[in-house]
């Protein structure tokens, strides 16, 4: 368990987070945006795990379980929304769903 | 008997109430019975009470009907005070008022609003009686404003004509200006005495203020403000000529005999304050002198019969003010009484003429009425003689001569006042007989449509008798020591001190006054009967024409006030009709709306824009927190 | 308990009226009348009953009721009645009764909901006049606001939405400032004494530094001055008054404005004596500006209801002028002004409603010559127009005269300008009469005279205003104990305070002022300063 240093773990988390972030920013397909959000969530979870390991505390893992449940809920709601959106707009392009402007 | 004092104003009030409530339903014949009857009842009561008053020899009757209100020691009551001065006024109001009501019964008989007329007249008599009988200044103020209201209602009686409405409104507003000054005077009096009871103030004032005290002058001047408003004196005289829009009996009762002399009553009632304030008293004298001249010259140029009389009223009240100003209190009240007789007579006569000529007001369209309407002519002539102060035989001579004499010989008299009054007397006799000659002499110009009946003639005759014999109760000192009126008023109003050096040559001044009056009549005869072309040739010169125009317009006061007060006020009001302050609030609302439109533009609806915003925001916050 | 019943009857009556509106249109009207009548009777009974007959009366307070409500926050359901509240309640129920009668033939749309709102406004007003708990006070303040919003917004004239919004935002925003001041007062009192309470009597003794007192007073003033209204916060009023239905205008002018004046008397004066005294000259100045500004604007209005609304602005100027004169004369004048203005302006709005009924316009340029066919209406209109210009013999004169006499003791010059307002009042008042009743009738309508129902509304109002003008003593006596109570904080000033204020303006001669002083000492309480 000591093979991975904290820095490497956090670096991985940061890379994952930035990948996810760019995914959200760049992709127009809503499914991919959702996946990118999941990646960001997992990055945050990974950071918690690494931090928990560093301090030898269980809190990090508890937080990860929180994040996991939340992510699951989010995906279910998100997918339902996407389904509805697709029904209404016949496309998965997020820019098409811009009717809620000011 | 003296417990019935309250009935004197209450009877006309009852009459008014009945007429207001049931006037439209009751038979037409009953209306004048109630209207004139209630005032007649008051007159009868006044005479009985007056007889008792004279035989009792007490100084005054007081009666408190009920406590009006009582706040922190300020406790005016609905209470009446009757002394010699009040008696004179009540007598004139009820008696002349009764005659005028009788006259109106016939004069207004054809009018659709018969009951409204009598209701307003009765209400007026009630308010006027309250004014002169009030034992405190707040109740006096009630009567004061009440007569203003009735004057408003009666000037605008023929309401369909817009001009009448304007005249009514003008009268009310201008007198209200004076009333406001008077109200401030009341505040000041209350501050010093803690009461507004007239008798208490009059006894306390000399102890509180020394002669010439500035506060006393201020109070007196404020009261004069009220008086000049009601009595149509300079500078608030402009409403009275327009007030002639009302029916003639109204002009006779309100705008000649009673209401316009309220100012004279107020000043003589509070004479103690004026004795403490010589400056204010002098102001009163000079207001009177200026007014009597200005109004006299204006009357000289008018064509409308009633307007001549209106300006003459202003001028005659000017004489009363002059008398008050020199401290000739009883002379002022005496002239008030005589003036009430002959001016009411003249207005009623004018009314009869105007009615006969189908509501023609222009004198130059009248003429030759001497033979057609003999009773009206002779009574009108008697009234005119009194107004012009024809020596010895007219009542007006005795009252006016007294003022002229005391204006010079009284302790506060002066030669300037005397000359002004003398000049005024000269002008008076000219315009008076100008009116008589134009109206009743010469050739007939308009067809007579309505001959006056009994109820019109009776008051004329009675008033004519009074206009002749009324003067004999007060004779000049050098005639006989017969000064009934002054003696009668002595318990209330002090007798004036006369310059002893002059009193030996009083007869010279009497002859001068008599000559002036007679020469005025002769000039009128010359210009308007004998050689009318003389007037035309004079009027043709440019100077005379512009002078005529200036006098005709009442010395330009209307135009002046219009430019100074009316137009700025209306302009201010119109320009701000939509309320400038509201622009601030609508501006605030519009600004909020604008902000909304700016910020709502950031809501693009694009998911990725929002995401970008989140990222930039996060980076910013992190950077800032790192920097700090 | 009676006090609680008054509010409950109105609220329950309102709900019943709403529900019964589904059955037919007449039922809500009758229910509303029946809900107001017992209240009117109760208030009249309390007024007429001898004070000795009520053992619970303590000092100025005739009745009190304390129920615990939210004890943890120190909020109680405290109601109390003194002479001032009693007079205000009488006015409320009289005008409420008249408002129902006025709407009888005017409202045909959602009748049930209309009467619900009407009764709830009245309930809110009743609560405001009775409550002795600041939390509850704020609650009732809002209760009267929202139904009024509906009254204007649903049953108003053509521009009603705008007017309703404006009314709501003005009153709500200013009310929030008052809430802020109430909460600060609550916490300051709590931190000083350890007792956290909203009770009026407990908070009465709170002391604070002058600056804090000033700010708290401004919080209260914000609400009351907007409600009164005082120039420059008046601009909601002309819109609200002219757009509201007749009953709404009557209640707005007759009652809602009075809650502002009541608040000044009940809260501002006793809570903040120092701050109020410091602010008094400015407040009086605002009052005078209001009198003149309102009068000038009233003169040029062409919309009859808007004209009357501006006259209200002018008349309410007298209220603030009198309140900040701090003497009994002026305060009695203010109380009279609240009552008589409620009646006279209410009556003018009702007349405007009657005219609207007949010719469907409020534009006075299109009116004229109505005297010919409607003499009764003319006489009654004349009475109220004369009341509005302050003719002696009618109630408004007593009010204005007392106010001015009182304010004269406090400030001469401002009183002079306020008195000039009476001349302007003459100008705008006579304009009403002249435009409507004088001249020729140019409309194609024949103006019918007042019907029996309309006379039933107007005649009592005429009698009331005459009675108040000729024998106002019962009202004065009723108000006196509570006015003394409100003035308690001001009575321990030196006896010759009024004189010392006056001296710089009136140059008195030595002899004058000396005898003046002596006189004052002899007079004792003649100036309301014992």
């Amino acid at each position: 368990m000591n093979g991975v240093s904290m820095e490497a773990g956090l670096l991985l988390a940061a890379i994952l987070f930035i990948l996810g972030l760019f995914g959200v920013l760049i992709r127009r397909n809503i499914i991919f945006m959702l996946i990118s959000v999941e990646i960001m969530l997992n990055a945050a979870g990974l950071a918690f795990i690494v931090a928990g390991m560093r301090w030898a505390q269980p809190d990090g893992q508890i937080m990860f379980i929180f994040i996991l449940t939340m992510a699951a809920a989010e995906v279910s709601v998100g997918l339902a929304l996407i389904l509805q959106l697709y029904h209404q707009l016949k496309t998965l392009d997020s820019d098409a769903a811009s009717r809620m402007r000011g | 008997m003296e417990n019935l004092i309250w009935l004197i104003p209450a009877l006309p009030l009852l009459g008014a109430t009945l007429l207001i409530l049931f006037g439209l339903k009751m038979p037409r014949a009953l209306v004048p019975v109630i209207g004139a009857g209630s005032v007649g009842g008051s007159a009868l009561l006044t005479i009985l009470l007056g007889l008792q008053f004279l035989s009792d020899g007490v100084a005054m009757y007081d009666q408190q009907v009920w406590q009006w209100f009582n706040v922190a020691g300020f406790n005016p009551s609905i209470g009446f005070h009757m002394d010699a001065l009040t008696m004179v006024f009540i007598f004139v109001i009820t008696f002349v008022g009764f005659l005028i009501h009788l006259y109106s019964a016939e004069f207004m008989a054809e009018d659709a609003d018969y009951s409204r007329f009598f209701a307003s007249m009765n209400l007026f008599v009630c308010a006027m009686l309250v004014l002169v009988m009030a034992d405190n200044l707040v109740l006096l103020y009630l009567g004061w404003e009440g007569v203003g209201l009735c004057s408003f209602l009666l000037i605008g009686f023929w309401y369909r004509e817009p001009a009448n409405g304007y005249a009514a409104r003008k009268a009310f507003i201008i007198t209200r200006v004076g009333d406001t000054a008077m109200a401030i005077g009341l505040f000041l009096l209350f501050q010093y005495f803690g009461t507004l009871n007239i008798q208490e103030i009059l006894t306390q004032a000399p102890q509180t203020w020394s002669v010439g005290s500035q506060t006393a002058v201020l109070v007196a001047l404020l009261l004069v403000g009220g008086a000049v408003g009601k009595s149509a004196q300079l500078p608030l005289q402009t409403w009275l000529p327009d007030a002639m829009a009302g029916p003639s009996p109204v002009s006779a009762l309100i705008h000649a005999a009673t209401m316009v002399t309220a100012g004279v009553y107020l000043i003589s009632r509070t004479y103690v304050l004026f004795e403490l304030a010589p400056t204010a008293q002098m102001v009163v004298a000079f207001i009177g002198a200026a007014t009597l001249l200005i109004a006299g010259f204006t009357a000289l140029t008018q064509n409308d019969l009633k307007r001549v009389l209106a300006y003459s009223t202003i001028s005659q009240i000017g004489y009363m003010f002059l008398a008050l100003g020199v401290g000739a209190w009883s002379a002022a009240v005496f002239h008030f009484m005589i003036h009430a007789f002959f001016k009411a007579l003249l207005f009623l006569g004018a009314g009869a003429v105007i009615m006969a000529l189908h509501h023609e007001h222009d004198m130059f369209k009248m003429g030759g009425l001497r033979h057609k309407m003999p009773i009206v002519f002779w009574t009108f002539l008697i009234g005119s003689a009194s107004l012009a102060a024809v020596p010895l035989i007219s009542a007006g001579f005795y009252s006016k001569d007294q003022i002229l004499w005391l204006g010079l010989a009284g302790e506060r008299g002066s030669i300037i006042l005397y000359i002004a009054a003398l000049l005024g007397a000269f002008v008076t006799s000219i315009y008076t007989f100008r009116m008589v000659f134009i109206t009743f002499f010469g050739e007939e110009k308009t067809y007579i449509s309505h001959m006056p009946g009994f109820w019109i003639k009776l008051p004329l005759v009675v008033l004519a008798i009074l206009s002749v014999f009324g003067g004999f109760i007060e004779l000049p000192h050098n005639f006989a020591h017969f000064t009934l009126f002054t003696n009668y008023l002595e318990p209330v109003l002090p007798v004036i001190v006369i310059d002893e050096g002059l009193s030996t040559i009083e007869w010279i001044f009497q002859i001068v006054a008599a000559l002036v009056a007679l020469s005025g009549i002769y000039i009128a005869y010359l210009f308007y009967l004998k050689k009318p072309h003389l007037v035309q040739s004079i009027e043709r010169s440019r100077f005379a024409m512009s002078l005529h125009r200036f006098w005709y317009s009442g010395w330009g006061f209307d135009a002046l006030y219009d430019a100074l007060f009316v137009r700025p006020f209306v302009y201010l009001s119109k320009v701000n009709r939509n309320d400038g302050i509201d622009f601030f609030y609508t501006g605030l609302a519009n600004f909020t709306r604008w902000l909304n439109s700016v910020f709502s533009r950031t809501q693009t609806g694009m998911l990725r824009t929002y995401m970008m915003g989140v990222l930039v925001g996060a980076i910013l916050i992190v950077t800032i927190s790192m920097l700090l | 308990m009676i006090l609680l019943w008054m509010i409950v009857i109105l609220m329950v009556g309102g709900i019943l009226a709403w529900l019964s509106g589904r059955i037919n249109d007449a039922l809500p009207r009758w229910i509303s009348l029946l809900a107001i009548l017992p209240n009117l009777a109760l208030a009249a009974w309390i007024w007429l009953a001898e004070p000795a007959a009520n053992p619970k009366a303590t000092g100025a307070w005739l009745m009190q009721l304390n129920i615990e409500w939210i004890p943890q926050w120190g909020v109680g359901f405290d109601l109390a009645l003194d002479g001032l509240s009693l007079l205000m309640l009488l006015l409320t129920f009289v005008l409420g009764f008249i408002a129902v009668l006025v709407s009888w033939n005017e409202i045909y749309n959602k009748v049930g909901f209309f009467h619900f709102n009407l009764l709830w406004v009245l309930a809110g007003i009743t609560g405001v006049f009775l409550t002795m708990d600041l939390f509850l006070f704020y609650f009732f303040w809002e209760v009267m606001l929202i139904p009024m919003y509906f009254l204007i917004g649903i049953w108003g004239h053509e521009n009603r939405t705008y007017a309703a919004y404006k009314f709501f935002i003005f009153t709500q925003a200013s009310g929030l400032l008052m809430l802020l001041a109430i909460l600060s007062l609550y916490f300051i009192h709590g931190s000083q004494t350890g007792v956290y309470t909203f009770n009026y009597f407990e908070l009465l003794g709170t002391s604070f530094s002058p600056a804090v007192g000033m700010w708290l007073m401004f919080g209260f003033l914000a609400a009351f001055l907007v409600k009164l209204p005082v120039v420059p916060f008046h601009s909601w009023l002309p819109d609200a008054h002219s757009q509201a239905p007749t009953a709404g205008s009557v209640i707005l002018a007759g009652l809602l404005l009075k809650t502002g004046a009541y608040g000044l008397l009940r809260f501002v004066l006793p809570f903040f004596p120092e701050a109020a005294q410091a602010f008094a000259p400015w407040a009086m100045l605002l009052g005078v500006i209001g009198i003149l500004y309102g009068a000038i604007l009233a003169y040029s209005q062409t919309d009859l209801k808007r004209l009357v609304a501006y006259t209200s602005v002018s008349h309410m100027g007298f209220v603030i002028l009198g309140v900040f004169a701090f003497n009994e004369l002026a305060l009695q004048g203010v109380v009279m002004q609240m009552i008589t203005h409620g009646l006279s302006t209410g009556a003018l709005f009702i007349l405007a409603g009657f005219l609207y009924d007949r010719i469907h316009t409020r534009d006075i340029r299109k009116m004229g010559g109505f005297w010919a066919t409607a003499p009764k209406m003319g006489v009654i209109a004349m009475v109220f127009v004369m009341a509005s210009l302050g003719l002696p013999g009618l109630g408004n004169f007593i009010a204005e005269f007392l106010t001015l006499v009182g304010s004269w003791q406090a400030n001469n010059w401002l009183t002079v300008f306020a008195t000039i307002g009476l001349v302007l009042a003459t100008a705008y008042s006579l304009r009403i009469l002249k435009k409507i009743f004088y001249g020729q009738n140019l409309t194609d309508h024949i103006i019918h005279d007042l019907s029996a129902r309309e006379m039933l509304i107007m005649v009592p109002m005429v009698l009331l205003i005459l009675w108040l003008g000729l024998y106002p003593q019962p009202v004065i006596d009723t108000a006196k104990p509570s006015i003394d109570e409100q003035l308690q904080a001001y009575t321990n000033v030196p006896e010759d305070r009024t004189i010392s204020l006056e001296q710089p303006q009136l140059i008195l001669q030595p002899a004058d002022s000396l005898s003046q002083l002596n006189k004052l000492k002899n007079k004792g309480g003649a100036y309301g300063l014992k």
Side-chain angles (χ1 to χ4, degrees), chain C residues 375-452:
Chain C
K376 287 187 223 163
M377 191 199 266
V379 170
I380 286 168
M382 194 197 75
V383 169
F384 288 107
V385 163
M386 290 302 148
S388 128
L389 65 78
L391 191 85
L394 302 172
N396 301 49
F397 168 73
I398 307 281
E400 277 162 22
F401 197 77
L402 285 178
T403 309
L404 289 171
V405 168
S407 73
W408 175 266
Q409 320 287 344
N411 193 318
N412 291 351
W413 279 109
L414 287 177
T415 309
V416 169
F417 284 107
T419 316
I420 289 171
L422 292 182
V423 178
L424 303 185
T426 319
Y428 67 66
S429 302
L430 296 185
R431 185 163 170 269
I432 301 178
L433 263 193
K434 188 181 169 303
K435 286 277 177 189
I436 300 176
F437 292 101
Y438 283 59
Q440 301 281 356
N441 185 352
L442 299 175
T443 61
D444 11 328
H445 303 272
I446 294 167
I447 308 301
H448 299 291
D449 211 344
L450 298 182
S451 67

Side-chain angles (χ1 to χ4, degrees), chain B residues 152-216:
Chain B
F152 167 80
L153 291 176
L154 286 163
I155 294 170
F157 180 74
W158 288 315
Y159 59 88
R160 285 187 181 81
E161 190 63 50
N164 297 353
Y166 278 113
R169 193 154 63 135
K170 182 178 175 185
F172 204 154
I173 293 175
I174 291 182
T175 49
R176 205 90 207 278
V177 173
D179 299 353
T180 302
M182 181 171 149
I184 295 171
L186 299 195
F187 304 152
L188 203 58
L189 279 171
F190 177 74
Q191 183 197 345
Y192 279 89
F193 300 107
T195 175
L196 284 178
N197 183 298
I198 297 170
Q199 297 309 314
E200 282 179 37
I201 289 176
L202 295 188
T203 47
Q204 285 179 25
Q207 298 150 27
T208 310
W209 290 320
S210 54
V211 174
S213 140
Q214 261 166 314
T215 331

Side-chain angles (χ1 to χ4, degrees), chain C residues 163-294:
Chain C
Y165 270 130
K166 203 169 178 180
F167 164 73
F168 191 86
I169 291 173
F170 266 82
T171 10
Q172 179 69 350
S174 63
L176 286 175
L177 289 175
M178 178 174 75
L179 181 64
L180 210 61
I182 289 177
L183 289 177
S184 323
L185 196 61
Y186 172 72
F187 285 115
I188 289 174
H189 180 79
S191 65
Q192 276 177 6
T193 60
V195 182
Y196 284 89
T197 175
F198 283 101
N199 187 288
Y200 172 80
F201 300 103
E202 303 232 8
L203 291 176
L204 214 47
T206 318
S207 61
F208 16 64
S209 66
V212 174
M214 201 54 130
W215 282 110
L216 289 184
M217 184 185 75
F218 282 141
F220 279 93
L221 275 184
F224 300 146
L225 294 194
V226 168
K227 203 74 157 197
L228 199 53
V230 164
V231 174
F233 311 114
H234 64 281
S235 83
W236 62 271
L237 180 133
D239 288 312
H241 278 57
S242 54
Q243 298 302 325
T246 306
S249 302
V250 170
I251 289 181
L252 264 177
L255 300 172
L256 245 58
L257 307 190
K258 306 306 176 295
T259 59
Y262 174 84
L264 287 177
L265 287 174
R266 180 69 83 212
F267 297 104
V268 174
L269 285 195
F271 274 146
F272 314 105
E274 291 89 9
Q277 257 161 348
F279 185 62
W282 298 103
M284 291 174 83
L285 181 67
L286 281 180
V288 171
I289 291 175
I291 292 171
L292 298 177
Y293 191 82

Side-chain angles (χ1 to χ4, degrees), chain B residues 578-590 593, chain C residues 148-150 152-154 156-171 234-244 306 310 362:
Chain B
N578 295 323
D579 198 350
I581 291 176
D582 199 33
F583 288 139
F584 171 74
Y585 294 109
T586 41
L588 204 64
N590 288 339
R593 223 170 273 152
Chain C
M148 196 68 224
Y149 168 79
F150 285 126
I152 301 172
I154 299 178
H157 294 288
E158 61 283 347
N159 208 0
R160 55 180 174 267
T161 327
Y162 171 74
Y165 270 130
K166 203 169 178 180
F167 164 73
F168 191 86
I169 291 173
F170 266 82
T171 10
H234 64 281
S235 83
W236 62 271
L237 180 133
D239 288 312
H241 278 57
S242 54
Q243 298 302 325
R306 217 176 160 79
Y310 275 110
R362 304 189 306 271

Side-chain angles (χ1 to χ4, degrees), chain A residues 33-48:
Chain A
M33 289 173 90
L34 194 65
I35 292 171
S36 304
V37 170
E38 288 305 311
I39 292 174
M40 282 158 74
L41 277 173
N42 283 323
L46 183 60
F48 270 114

Side-chain angles (χ1 to χ4, degrees), chain B residues 70 72 191-192 573 579 582, chain C residues 234 293 296 473 502 508 526-527:
Chain B
N70 182 357
Q191 183 197 345
Y192 279 89
S573 181
D579 198 350
D582 199 33
Chain C
H234 64 281
Y293 191 82
I296 290 174
Q473 199 59 38
E502 234 124 47
L508 304 177
Y527 297 87

Side-chain angles (χ1 to χ4, degrees), chain A residues 23-31 33 85 89 91-101, chain B residues 603-612:
Chain A
V24 173
L25 285 179
I26 290 165
R27 289 286 184 170
R28 287 166 65 175
N29 189 311
I30 293 188
I31 300 208
M33 289 173 90
L85 209 66
L89 302 175
T91 171
L92 285 175
D93 185 349
S94 74
D95 287 2
S98 65
R99 269 193 296 180
M100 268 175 67
R101 69 175 92 86
Chain B
Q603 296 283 318
T604 55
M606 309 283 266
L607 207 51
R608 291 178 303 147
T609 332
Y610 297 162
M611 207 53 224
M612 204 61 191

